[in-house]
Amino acid sequence: MRVTMIGSGYVGLVSGACFAEFGHIVTCVDRDAGKIEALQKGKMPIYEPGLDEIVANNVRAERLFFTTQLKEAVTTADVVFIAVGTPSRRGDGHADLSYVHQAARDIAVAIEGYTVIVNKSTVPVGTGDTVERIIREMRSEAEFAIVSNPEFLREGAAINDFKRPDRIVIGTNDLRAQEVMRELYRPLYLNQSPLVVTNRRTAELIKYAANAFLATKITFINEIADLCEKVGANVQEVARGIGLDNRIGSKFLHAGPGYGGSCFPKDTLALVKTAQDADSPVRIVETVAAVNDVRKRAMGRKVIAACDGSVSGKTIAVLGLTFKPNTDDMRAAPSIDIIQALQDAGANIQAFDPEGIEQAKSVLENVIYARDAYSAISGADALVLVTEWDAFRALDLVRVKALLRSPIVVDLRNIYPPQELIRHGFRYVSVGRPEEVYHG
Ligand code: NAD
């Protein structure tokens, strides 16, 4: 099958490379000429473990191509995916659908013969109808179907998630399009990945409901963590105690600095807006978004409190900038709010991230970027662990203590056992694990 991906970002590039791996002929299109030029030279525009290898293999096998020439790629395709960004619209939190609508117009002028147009971008309910209308108005004679096929991959584990998904959601009532989608996903279908075939609006809502639910779980445990600190309980043990209940499950119950990233913040807001417009508010999600929003800066205050109430003129070492490990994505990363809160209080920041520094430079100002974790720590008045990269899980604590001006560690991901840090002579502050608990 000939597949064209419009948008070659985290989702378009990973899905395109994986579809090529399934044996389809895939062309990834992007309007960013620099991105396409880099890809044609074998250089990945994003950091995603394993992506370079799978791209190289499929380029070599002549199943994967990159171009800025959308028209030709769409004309020859059986299936055209829309995988462009849907960021928050400035000012009101609705999803900004301008890239999706532009892609629809671009597709309309180019399609030839029966084409299945698949929306993989996360879009509000009814967007498939709008895309259909745009194309129909421009090309009344065209033969096409619009399908919703939301993507659930996680950055940092994207290839595995794509190849071994918990489920594949296909939203269309068009039987011919359903057959095309089954054929497209055949290798996964044969592997018994569950297929949820439903109507388009339901598929669109499934994606938002899934993200809102996960964001709620994170926010729930974060608030329980705050309560633990007040009442002398340990959130990790609470999470284990509730997570072992199959009805709850242990995932997404790690207390931390609040969720960030390219999906949860914008998708929760977009769902809130959709629900308000439909006169059916999702008040839980409204609260989740509001609670999470203030949490990130509150983590800055937590660091300040750990530094005896002031960071003015002090140097704070920040380890981990990306919104989670194994990605270079800085979109809505908690590190941004935390660092800005510390800077507003007069702190100087020395930071290190294994993959995110280039991206961080475009969103953070006045940060000294170190070449490794120990250089970031050197001479600092406190160390703050913001993102739980593996490289930060086993720091040489004797060296860390020697490098810090004062032995203060604020671990916003609970990656160290408190006793170990205390034994090494640190003042150790984590999330939802009050000092009294391990002081006995
Ligand atoms: P991204 O910003 O990394 O990539 C989007 C790409 O589309 C960009 O390279 C941009 O240049 C390109 N583009 C925009 N308009 C175009 C056009 N008309 N023609 C050609 N190229 C165009 O975005 P992403 O993270 O891949 O997200 C894409 C969508 O998938 C979003 O709706 C997002 O919510 C959803 N999603 C993302 C993830 C994730 O982990 N990043 C997971 C699931 C779903």
Side-chain angles (χ1 to χ4, degrees):
M1 221 176 266
R2 298 192 76 91
V3 177
T4 289
M5 280 286 159
I6 300 184
S8 305
Y10 287 88
V11 166
L13 182 55
V14 170
S15 327
C18 291
F19 280 131
E21 186 99 329
F22 296 170
H24 302 300
I25 306 295
V26 180
T27 304
C28 289
V29 181
D30 206 288
R31 58 182 193 166
D32 179 340
K35 199 175 261 192
I36 292 299
E37 201 180 319
L39 282 163
Q40 285 168 339
K41 289 184 183 145
K43 202 170 166 306
M44 295 305 105
I46 53 170
Y47 174 75
E48 182 61 45
L51 183 62
D52 45 0
E53 197 185 332
I54 172 171
V55 166
N57 288 346
N58 286 284
V59 166
R60 209 175 307 118
E62 299 190 350
R63 285 193 299 259
L64 183 58
F65 302 89
F66 303 104
T67 184
T68 52
Q69 303 300 308
L70 182 143
K71 188 164 188 303
E72 194 189 328
V74 169
T75 300
T76 53
D78 304 305
V79 183
V80 177
F81 277 90
I82 299 174
V84 299
T86 49
S88 273
R89 193 164 69 189
R90 205 167 288 212
D92 67 5
H94 269 291
D96 174 355
L97 294 174
S98 55
Y99 302 103
V100 173
H101 293 164
Q102 184 55 45
R105 288 189 288 271
D106 293 344
I107 292 168
V109 293
I111 44 170
E112 297 283 346
Y114 180 73
T115 311
V116 176
I117 297 156
V118 188
N119 204 345
K120 217 176 219 334
S121 297
T122 302
V123 290
V125 175
T127 303
D129 302 0
T130 311
V131 168
E132 184 164 1
R133 197 169 52 246
I134 290 172
I135 299 177
R136 186 59 69 209
E137 278 172 10
M138 290 175 70
R139 290 281 302 278
S140 57
E141 86 301 350
E143 267 195 288
F144 67 91
I146 308 286
V147 177
S148 166
N149 171 222
E151 183 50 57
F152 299 94
L153 63 77
R154 294 162 302 168
E155 288 175 22
I159 291 168
N160 189 57
D161 284 352
F162 194 87
K163 288 186 172 176
R164 278 170 276 279
D166 289 340
R167 77 308 209 181
I168 300 157
V169 173
I170 294 174
T172 178
N173 289 329
D174 183 314
L175 296 181
R176 188 171 170 191
Q178 280 180 13
E179 274 320 299
V180 170
M181 294 304 289
R182 279 184 214 276
E183 183 57 26
L184 191 65
Y185 279 106
R186 210 156 72 95
L188 300 186
Y189 188 47
L190 291 177
N191 257 352
Q192 316 227 312
S193 295
L195 216 56
V196 179
V197 181
T198 179
N199 67 40
R200 208 161 57 199
R201 286 181 167 244
T202 305
E204 289 168 338
L205 191 55
I206 285 172
K207 174 66 190 178
Y208 281 105
N211 275 0
F213 190 85
L214 294 172
T216 302
K217 230 177 150 184
I218 295 172
T219 306
F220 175 81
I221 203 68
N222 283 341
E223 287 208 311
I224 295 293
D226 292 349
L227 179 59
C228 284
E229 288 179 17
K230 293 275 161 59
V231 300
N234 182 325
V235 75
Q236 276 181 318
E237 285 159 27
V238 172
R240 184 168 148 74
I242 64 172
L244 284 167
D245 183 330
N246 285 331
R247 294 168 302 175
I248 296 173
S250 58
K251 295 193 175 148
F252 280 75
L253 284 182
H254 300 285
Y259 60 77
S262 65
C263 292
F264 288 177
K266 77 173 175 65
D267 292 348
T268 44
L269 283 185
L271 178 62
V272 163
K273 289 293 169 187
T274 298
Q276 284 171 352
D277 287 353
D279 202 17
S280 180
V282 282
R283 287 185 295 267
I284 287 178
V285 186
E286 287 175 18
T287 304
V288 164
V291 168
N292 192 69
D293 214 31
V294 293
R295 183 169 185 83
K296 302 180 198 176
R297 266 187 96 85
M299 292 298 114
R301 292 196 293 279
K302 189 177 179 81
V303 175
I304 295 168
C307 295
D308 294 326
S310 171
V311 291
S312 181
K314 292 182 181 169
T315 298
I316 307 296
V318 173
L319 292 188
L321 297 169
T322 52
F323 82 96
K324 66 172 175 180
N326 297 323
T327 181
D328 58 352
D329 202 338
M330 281 295 296
R331 288 178 280 185
S335 66
I336 300 170
D337 298 67
I338 295 167
I339 286 176
Q340 284 169 352
L342 293 172
Q343 287 175 327
D344 289 348
N348 304 308
I349 305 294
Q350 292 182 172
F352 173 69
D353 187 280
E355 295 292 339
I357 290 178
E358 276 319 302
Q359 305 259 16
K361 282 180 181 166
S362 59
V363 282
L364 288 166
E365 286 174 7
N366 299 322
V367 169
I368 296 169
Y369 294 101
R371 64 177 186 283
D372 59 31
Y374 297 105
S375 313
I377 295 166
S378 182
D381 295 280
L383 161 60
V384 186
L385 286 154
V386 179
T387 314
E388 68 278 32
W389 286 87
D390 277 349
F392 306 147
R393 288 179 183 274
L395 292 170
D396 175 345
L397 296 175
V398 174
R399 190 169 166 202
V400 170
K401 184 145 183 269
L403 288 171
L404 280 174
R405 233 189 327 232
S406 43
I408 300 170
V409 173
V410 182
D411 175 0
L412 299 179
R413 299 287 180 174
N414 290 348
I415 58 181
Y416 282 95
Q419 296 81 352
E420 192 181 335
L421 274 279
I422 288 163
R423 202 171 52 244
H424 278 85
F426 288 98
R427 165 141 200 229
Y428 178 71
V429 175
S430 55
V431 180
R433 301 186 300 179
E435 291 177 33
E436 302 83 79
V437 172
Y438 38 83
H439 279 157

